[in-house]
Structures are given as C-alpha cells and as structure tokens.
Amino acid sequence: MPRRFHHSIRFKLLLVSLTLLGIPWAGYRFIHETEQFLRDAQQQSLQGTAQALSKLVAQQADGFTGQHLPGQANHRNNLYLHRWELAPVIDGYPDEWTLFEGNFTRYRLPDGSLGLELAAGEHAGQAYLLVRVSDTSRAYGAQGDRVDLSLSDGTQLTRLRIQPRAPGWIMGQRLQGRRFVAEPALRGEWQETDGGYVLEFRLPLTMLDKRMAVGVYNSADGNRLQTSRLFPAEEPGYLVRPSTAMQQLLAELTPPATRAWVVDHEGLVLAQAGRLDASAPLSADEQQLPWLVQQLMLAVLPHQADAEFAIPTHRSRLDLAPVNEALAGRPSGLRRSIPENDSIVVSAAVPVRGRDGVIGAVLIEQTTNAILSIQNLALQRLFAVTLVFFVVTSLGLLAFASLLTTRIRRLRNRLDRAVTHDGRIIGEISGGRSRDEIGELE
C-alpha cells in the first residue's frame, strides 16, 4: 500500500530539521540585546555632549534674556525676529510667510473670543511683522479695533498704534504727549478674513531695540490680548535674535551627523548647527540586496519611538517635551521617528543654568542609522549563515532518510518473496553486509 509523504520517515526527519530555526531566533535575540546596549550608550553619549555644551554656552550669559525658576509657568513674553533672505510684499496676505507657518507665536483668551498669531522678520534694515487676529466683530475708526506696539530699550518707551478707518493701506501713529500723531515710518496693509483680519506692516529696524510688545483691542466687548505688558519701559518682552557667537560655538563643537540647538528660557532658538544623517539604514547595501530582503530587514529591526514628527531647521521655537523638561531643570531625552523615513532620531536635552535659575537649554539630536547599519550587517550575516546551514542540513537529513527508506523497502521486498501471507516460508532471505540495526534484521 503506498504510504503518504507526511507518514514517511523523510517527513519526520524534515520536521526534526526545523528545530534548526532556533539558531536564527537566538541570534536575533542577541542582536536585539546588542541594539538595546548601543541605544543606551548613544543616549548617554548625547547626554554627556549636551552637558559639556551647556557649560560652554552658560559662559555667554549675555545672549540669554531671562531665567526660568523651578515651578514657574513658562510664559511667552518674548518675540522672535527671523532673518529674511528676501523682503516680503506688504499686501496683507501671508503668502511669503509660509516658511514660518510653524513659528507663529500664538495667544488666545480663555473664552476663545479673541486670538492673536504673529511672526516677525528683518531684511535690509527693515523689520516686518505679520499679525493674524481672530475676531468676528470688526469695527473701524477712532473707536474701532486696533493693534498697539510698545518698543523699548529698557528705559525709553515708544508706543505705536494702528487703528485704520477701513481695511486696506494703513499708516501707524506714535504716542506724543497725550495724543497719537501720524508715524509715516510704519506702513502696511490691513485685510479682513472670514474669522478676523490680517495686518502686515514694516518699520525701520532702527526703531527696534531690546524689547517689544504687541497688543490687540476688540472694541465690541473691550477685550484685550497682548504678548506682554505694554508699559512701563521695563515690562515689554525681549526681542530675541539668533546669536552669532553661539552659532559659531556650536558649529565648531557639534560632532558630525549631529544637530545641536540652544534655546532661551522660553524655548526660542538662539543658535542651531549641524545636521542629521539623512541616509536610510540600508542605503549602504541598496545595490547588494533585493528589495524583498531589504523590506524583511526593516520589518524585523526594532523601531521603537516615543513620537513621530520632524523639526525643520528654520524652527524658531522648540516646544518639545525634552526641551520643556530641561527648562524646568530636569535633563530629558526622546526617541522620535521621522515621517516618510526609516530613521529614528535620539535626542537629549539639558538645562543651561545661570546664577539663580535656568536660563536656557541645549538639545542634541542624532539618528540611529549607525546602530541600524550594524544591525543590518549582523542580520545579513546571520541570515546567510542560517540559510546555508539549514539547506545543507535539511538536504543531508533528506538524503539519509531516503537511504534508510530504500534499505527498509528492500528488506520488505525480500521478506515478501520469502514468506507468504499465511506464514509459509517459500524461499531464503540473503543477509546484508551492514552491521547496523537494519543489517541485523537482514
């Protein structure tokens, strides 16, 4: 009677050969543990680099604008002044400001009735501001809505006002004595939107000094919303610019394939240097491995991340969990994945301490591409060795099973020729030459 393959000795020995798959599993577990060790080592290395940079940056305390005390709420009183490569067109539309769309400083009343978003930049001796206001009840004229500015060097205060009679081209006013007079140096455009209005204007950079505050007034309900107090002269928030000295310091000390940031006590970026390694984990072996094998490698490699987001190099405020922790006085770290990329970015943030509190923070970022490359190489070797070992062993077991099956079948055929079904011996069984158990049966 023909015997099915799954009842044969060859099939059973093939099942036994599957136990060899435990070898790659054990190898993978070892690679995973090694990755964990390398990941912890990378995190500690970044933490140490950030600590060293924070001590050097703290020596340039004049570049910071304040301090953050333990338990203190982190207010957003300061305003950031970007550097423009091209001057925007003053038309009341934020088309040229899309580069800074993620850098608008946002304020809103608790009841949501009034909202303020603004960004500022400088180019060729002019300062440019874009103010977006959420206000459904708009009014114009001497008793209408307005935008107030306070400019100060810490002792002298200049108050400006924009209160147009109608949407369109506007000119500012300066407080002189007890009344506001025309200020031709401040010019811009006021455009209505569905939920409020947009104000885009410019003024000479010489009018700006250390401090600036912006406030909006809704004439319908008398609500006010401002970035900081408009007066007296020492109350407006600081006008923060990138620090050239810190930029040079970071450029000299930032390791390769690493990005470093320095922020003030409100999270505004004072300096940024370096870049992340943008190459994919398998980029070094793209031409050597088939696409299916690459995807298999990426599938089995661990990709543990706490969040998924990208940080553009032109970001002016770092509102991130590790930075906020560092500004509160606690070193912190984060693993994040980059959208549309296979890389994982490891970051470490430490506080920059002044005499009385935290004056800023240092953030160091680095991809895990080096670790992934080591894992990839190890998995390639493990995959190749396991495949060869499994194929050779399986073929050997199948050949051995076929030999045993042939000998047993030959013995059965000799028995069938020598003994009838009812047990009568009708012939002789010739003995075999083998000295193993089957040879003894023969």
Side-chain angles (χ1 to χ4, degrees):
M1 179 179 179
R3 183 180 291 106
R4 295 184 178 181
F5 177 73
H6 64 274
H7 291 156
S8 64
I9 294 178
R10 283 175 291 180
F11 178 73
K12 295 177 181 178
L13 287 178
L14 183 61
L15 290 180
V16 172
S17 67
L18 293 179
T19 58
L20 297 175
L21 295 178
I23 297 176
W25 179 84
Y28 172 76
R29 293 301 306 171
F30 174 75
I31 293 174
H32 182 71
E33 294 296 330
T34 303
E35 186 270 344
Q36 181 69 38
F37 171 78
L38 294 175
R39 186 173 63 185
D40 294 341
Q42 184 183 30
Q43 186 72 47
Q44 293 176 6
S45 175
L46 289 181
Q47 202 79 20
T49 303
Q51 288 284 2
L53 284 177
S54 68
K55 293 180 181 179
L56 295 175
V57 169
Q59 298 176 6
Q60 303 185 15
D62 54 343
F64 296 92
T65 57
Q67 63 185 5
H68 186 276
L69 300 177
Q72 182 185 42
N74 195 357
H75 300 289
R76 296 187 174 184
N77 295 326
N78 296 345
L79 299 177
Y80 197 83
L81 189 63
H82 299 87
R83 290 173 178 169
W84 279 94
E85 295 182 2
L86 296 173
V89 178
I90 305 299
D91 54 6
Y93 297 99
D95 299 340
E96 298 92 349
W97 297 79
T98 54
L99 180 63
F100 305 126
E101 186 63 33
N103 295 325
F104 279 80
T105 306
R106 294 173 170 82
Y107 305 86
R108 185 170 293 275
L109 291 180
D111 60 2
S113 60
L114 191 62
L116 168 64
E117 299 179 5
L118 62 90
E122 62 172 301
H123 175 75
Q126 294 287 324
Y128 299 86
L129 279 82
L130 184 74
V131 180
R132 292 193 298 211
V133 178
S134 300
D135 178 14
T136 56
S137 57
R138 296 176 293 273
Y140 300 95
Q143 304 300 322
D145 300 341
R146 66 175 184 261
V147 176
D148 293 317
L149 280 80
S150 290
L151 311 177
S152 170
D153 61 358
T155 57
Q156 298 292 328
L157 181 67
T158 300
R159 297 192 60 188
L160 303 175
R161 175 169 293 180
I162 302 173
Q163 192 172 29
R165 297 180 180 179
W169 185 255
I170 56 94
M171 183 173 63
Q173 297 174 301
R174 176 197 294 264
L175 181 62
Q176 185 172 326
R178 294 186 177 182
R179 66 188 185 92
F180 283 90
V181 298
E183 176 54 76
L186 194 161
R187 293 179 177 272
E189 189 82 15
W190 182 302
Q191 295 287 350
E192 289 189 355
T193 62
D194 292 338
Y197 57 89
V198 173
L199 173 62
E200 187 178 17
F201 63 94
R202 70 171 179 240
L203 67 163
L205 200 57
T206 53
M207 296 181 64
L208 303 183
D209 205 295
K210 295 180 179 180
R211 297 173 178 267
M212 181 174 72
V214 179
V216 295
Y217 172 75
N218 183 12
S219 59
D221 51 20
N223 284 333
R224 300 175 184 268
L225 185 59
Q226 53 199 40
T227 61
S228 61
R229 297 186 62 180
L230 299 175
F231 55 87
E234 63 274 8
E235 289 299 327
Y238 283 94
L239 192 62
V240 178
R241 297 176 172 89
S243 172
T244 303
M246 291 186 188
Q247 191 79 24
Q248 294 176 350
L249 179 65
L250 286 188
E252 294 175 358
L253 300 179
T254 302
T258 304
R259 188 165 62 173
W261 306 75
V262 177
V263 301
D264 68 358
H265 68 290
E266 292 188 4
L268 294 175
V269 177
L270 300 178
Q272 182 265 323
R275 65 181 184 87
L276 297 176
D277 184 8
S279 59
L282 298 177
S283 60
D285 307 285
E286 283 180 348
Q287 305 302 324
Q288 303 177 18
L289 294 177
W291 175 85
L292 182 61
V293 178
Q294 292 185 30
Q295 297 304 314
L296 177 62
M297 293 294 182
L298 292 174
V300 299
L301 290 175
H303 283 67
Q304 300 177 0
D306 302 321
E308 180 182 7
F309 58 89
I311 305 178
T313 55
H314 58 266
R315 180 65 60 86
S316 62
R317 184 188 298 272
L318 296 184
D319 191 7
L320 311 175
V323 174
N324 294 334
E325 288 289 320
L327 293 178
R330 299 180 295 270
S332 180
L334 179 71
R335 286 175 59 87
R336 63 180 176 89
S337 60
I338 303 177
E340 301 180 357
N341 196 305
D342 297 317
S343 300
I344 300 295
V345 177
V346 180
S347 59
V350 298
V352 179
R353 301 185 184 275
R355 294 182 178 180
D356 302 319
V358 176
I359 60 176
V362 172
L363 176 70
I364 301 292
E365 296 181 294
Q366 198 174 73
T367 67
T368 60
N369 286 346
I371 295 178
L372 291 177
S373 296
I374 295 174
Q375 284 183 303
N376 174 47
L377 181 60
L379 281 175
Q380 286 186 52
R381 293 177 177 176
L382 178 65
F383 179 79
V385 172
T386 301
L387 180 61
V388 172
F389 189 67
F390 180 76
V391 170
V392 172
T393 304
S394 298
L395 291 177
L397 288 175
L398 285 175
F400 180 67
S402 299
L403 177 62
L404 290 179
T405 303
T406 302
R407 293 178 61 191
I408 294 174
R409 187 182 298 112
R410 188 183 303 120
L411 177 60
R412 182 200 63 189
N413 293 336
R414 288 202 298 266
L415 286 174
D416 289 342
R417 290 192 298 268
V419 181
T420 63
H421 294 292
D422 56 359
R424 290 182 300 110
I425 299 176
I426 60 175
E428 295 182 358
I429 301 177
S430 59
R433 297 180 180 180
S434 178
R435 297 183 179 181
D436 57 11
E437 289 80 354
I438 297 179
E440 292 178 355
L441 291 176
E442 294 175 342

